[in-house]
Amino acid sequence: MKTLAEKPSKNIAYAHKNGYEIISAAEAKLMEAFNKLYLDFLSDSKTEREAHDKGVNLLEASGFKDLVKFENGRIKLAPGDRVYKSCAGKTLMAVIIGKKPLEAGMHIVGAHTDAPRIDIKQNPLYENGDMALLDTHYYGGIKKYQWVTIPLALHGVFVKPNGKTITITIGEDPSDPVLCITDLLPHLSADQNKKTLSEGIEGENLDVIVGSVPVSEKSRKEKIKHNILQLLHDKYGVTEEDFLSAELELVPAGRPREAGLDRSMILGYGQDDRVCAYAGLKALVDIKGIPEYTASVLLCDKEEIGSVGATGMASNFFENTSAELLNLTTDSYNELTLKRALNNSWMISADVNALFDPLYASVSEKKNSAILNHGVCLSKYGGSRGKSGSSDASAEFVAEIRRIFDKAGVIWQTGELGKVDQGGGGTIAWLMARYGMHVVDCGVGLLSMHSPMELAGKLDIFMAYKAYLAFLKDGRK
Ligand code: MN
Ligand code: MN
């Protein structure tokens, strides 16, 4: 007679695995090829403007046309048509018109292309201690001590009152000079060392040194500052007053790199959230044929400071662009149909999550934390302290996503950002959920998020692409 313990049972336990134990050799090749393309995109997209421009290049090369050209309504859009709409050169919405009418809803992947950085103030240039410096105001949630004593590049635009835009990039070409913010030497840091990590470097002390050579004119005051102005004037034709209408951003200089002795990771600046932005955009352009539902990718600005402003997700840009699409795909536009189109949409809020870090294990609850290279990370909810501020996706919608991902062979896991009451984070999910659409967060896990050098797993990056591609093109049950 068999004892109870010997009775064979079906394995019904759940555990996710390292993706390298699952991925086929053929797919691993595709993964490496995808990551090469991603490295180039990340390298060339150090600001939201640059990510937007690279995005437009990729879209146009893949047959997408500027929606503005259709807005007079003379030519309607048909299933399979590929269009994009830009918002102020920073935010971007791209769509492929689906077989079903827009009223049935869209499948949307929404990511953001702004990243924490150090912005130059409006009146920034000054001289002190025989050095010229630019005053700054940091952007987004940074740990300030990470941004000193590293090579920085200056990216951005000066816009003249006559509308002329001068674009600058200094510090990326190996022959360029770089810029740097100083820190105190250990020998004189007795007071600084007593401060907390967040107070050790003050926001007003994140000023960057830009020069130290004086002009030779005897009568000139602030000779070093003047020399910098002269250099800028000679090279770019700008004056000190032109800083007033400029957007200049300091970002870590240099290309992102493969990381690890096994080259399994990518180390680089701005992967939050350009990794999901690129994966989403590439998925959209790679769709073959006509998707069932209108497939849409949103790359938005200002997520890191609350999605506010005309180029942030809280603006009406998405809704207005959806209205244009409806107008161009139906004979009679009406607001009710637009509301239905938005309400019936499905969305993946494509943003990064935190990976389990063995050096800081205490902030995570391991079985609900994303693990490096265990696949793209799906988060039913975010928020903090009792899920506050979370756009909690419904079990029904998560089940639909499971079906789509599993059918497409996506390697994926779930992950929650930190353990309960440790902190938390938000994305653009809640802003889209206001329309009544289903939204869930799904993106790549990162180590050192918001630092000058964020680390991500190549397998997770490739799986984000596969996940977004499946979601954008897949029909519903
Ligand atoms: Mn993000
Ligand atoms: Mn972020």
Side-chain angles (χ1 to χ4, degrees):
M1 201 175 76
K2 275 190 177 170
T3 64
L4 200 59
E6 286 169 53
K7 195 177 158 198
S9 69
K10 212 174 136 205
N11 185 14
I12 51 170
Y14 167 74
H16 51 81
K17 275 191 204 163
N18 188 307
Y20 281 91
E21 292 173 26
I22 306 167
I23 196 168
S24 69
E27 203 165 38
K29 249 191 184 157
L30 296 175
M31 170 181 84
E32 292 297 337
F34 181 84
N35 275 281
K36 274 213 169 67
L37 295 172
Y38 168 55
L39 269 172
D40 287 339
F41 176 85
L42 191 62
S43 176
D44 295 342
S45 305
K46 293 278 188 86
T47 67
E48 66 283 12
R49 284 176 191 269
E50 291 169 2
H52 167 279
D53 293 351
K54 289 288 145 200
V56 169
N57 289 350
L58 180 60
L59 289 165
E60 289 194 336
S62 313
F64 284 74
K65 296 198 172 72
D66 193 339
L67 187 65
V68 170
K69 293 178 187 143
F70 295 83
E71 282 172 6
N72 60 26
R74 281 201 282 275
I75 306 165
K76 291 280 179 186
L77 293 174
D81 280 350
R82 299 174 157 220
V83 288
Y84 72 87
K85 177 86 190 260
S86 161
C87 176
K90 295 179 177 180
T91 285
L92 200 54
M93 178 169 171
V95 301
I96 303 176
I97 306 296
K99 289 177 191 159
K100 289 190 190 291
L102 205 71
E103 187 178 352
M106 294 180 268
H107 282 207
I108 306 159
V109 170
H112 68 92
T113 52
D114 62 319
R117 59 178 190 254
I118 298 175
D119 285 348
I120 305 299
K121 284 189 183 180
Q122 292 316 116
N123 185 18
L125 189 60
Y126 68 96
E127 179 177 326
N128 197 352
D130 271 19
M131 288 174 256
L133 296 100
L134 290 175
D135 217 319
T136 68
H137 194 146
Y138 65 94
Y139 173 98
I142 64 166
K143 292 167 90 172
K144 298 176 200 93
Y145 70 87
Q146 295 175 334
W147 294 75
V148 296
T149 73
I150 59 168
L152 296 168
L154 188 65
H155 291 237
V157 294
F158 286 96
V159 185
K160 297 269 201 180
N162 67 6
K164 191 178 179 221
T165 300
I166 301 121
T167 303
I168 67 159
T169 310
I170 304 166
E172 298 297 351
D173 190 281
S175 67
D176 279 357
V178 293
L179 304 175
C180 189
I181 300 167
T182 57
D183 191 7
L184 207 46
L185 60 168
H187 317 65
L188 297 179
S189 294
D191 290 342
Q192 189 192 38
N193 285 343
K194 286 182 203 140
K195 295 182 182 175
T196 63
L197 211 51
S198 65
E199 292 163 344
I201 305 284
E202 286 170 28
E204 276 296 351
N205 278 355
L206 288 176
D207 295 354
V208 68
I209 299 178
V210 290
S212 56
V213 176
V215 288
S216 53
E217 275 171 275
K218 286 233 159 47
S219 60
R220 179 73 61 185
K221 278 184 193 144
E222 300 195 300
K223 293 189 176 68
I224 295 163
K225 172 180 164 178
H226 191 77
N227 190 45
I228 291 297
L229 284 173
Q230 198 62 59
L231 283 169
L232 289 172
H233 191 260
D234 291 348
K235 182 143 191 208
Y236 303 106
V238 296
T239 64
E240 187 170 18
E241 200 176 357
D242 290 327
F243 278 106
L244 299 178
S245 51
E247 281 178 0
L248 300 169
E249 307 176 9
L250 285 168
V251 296
R255 271 181 71 83
R257 309 277 296 267
E258 289 182 302
L261 298 179
D262 56 8
R263 297 175 182 267
S264 61
M265 295 163 282
I266 302 284
L267 180 72
Y269 165 69
Q271 301 204 69
D272 173 9
D273 182 33
R274 292 172 194 140
V275 64
C276 299
Y278 181 71
L281 198 64
K282 189 73 169 71
L284 184 74
V285 304
D286 284 355
I287 288 177
K288 297 203 169 58
I290 305 172
E292 283 294 307
Y293 292 80
T294 293
S296 168
V297 168
L298 268 165
L299 304 186
C300 54
D301 182 28
K302 297 286 185 280
E303 193 276 342
E304 296 293 357
I305 57 168
S307 296
V308 291
T311 56
M313 197 64 246
S315 88
N316 281 345
F317 169 70
F318 164 72
E319 192 177 323
N320 293 350
T321 306
S322 301
E324 296 284 1
L325 292 172
L326 182 63
N327 186 45
L328 290 169
T329 51
T330 50
D331 293 329
S332 54
Y333 172 89
N334 81 63
E335 203 185 330
L336 181 61
T337 317
L338 175 66
K339 283 178 188 279
R340 284 177 182 159
L342 298 175
N343 181 76
N344 292 335
S345 288
W346 283 6
M347 183 189 185
I348 283 181
S349 169
D351 206 345
V352 297
N353 207 308
L355 285 174
F356 173 77
D357 185 337
L359 303 183
Y360 300 95
S362 68
V363 303
S364 305
E365 187 266 286
K366 197 171 178 184
K367 73 182 182 308
N368 281 292
S369 184
I371 308 287
L372 179 65
N373 284 328
H374 279 221
V376 67
C377 172
L378 186 80
S379 302
K380 185 176 180 296
Y381 54 85
S384 54
R385 285 166 289 276
K387 298 191 180 179
S388 181
S390 166
S391 163
D392 199 347
S394 72
E396 288 83 353
F397 187 51
V398 174
E400 297 275 13
I401 297 290
R402 276 178 70 187
R403 177 181 58 78
I404 292 171
F405 287 3
D406 288 343
K407 190 176 143 210
V410 175
I411 298 171
W412 65 282
Q413 58 184 324
T414 57
E416 188 168 333
L417 197 139
K419 69 182 181 188
V420 177
D421 286 342
Q422 186 68 41
T427 65
I428 60 170
W430 70 277
L431 289 162
M432 300 297 277
R434 290 178 310 163
Y435 295 109
M437 68 176 75
H438 285 295
V439 187
V440 69
D441 284 294
C442 178
V444 175
L446 294 185
L447 292 164
S448 314
M449 193 198 295
H450 281 207
S451 79
M453 284 293 143
E454 299 171 319
L455 199 57
K458 282 182 180 176
L459 187 133
D460 297 339
I461 295 169
F462 181 62
M463 288 302 151
Y465 162 77
K466 269 193 82 171
Y468 302 154
L469 181 58
F471 174 76
L472 288 170
K473 71 175 193 193
D474 218 41
R476 303 180 188 178
K477 261 189 313 210

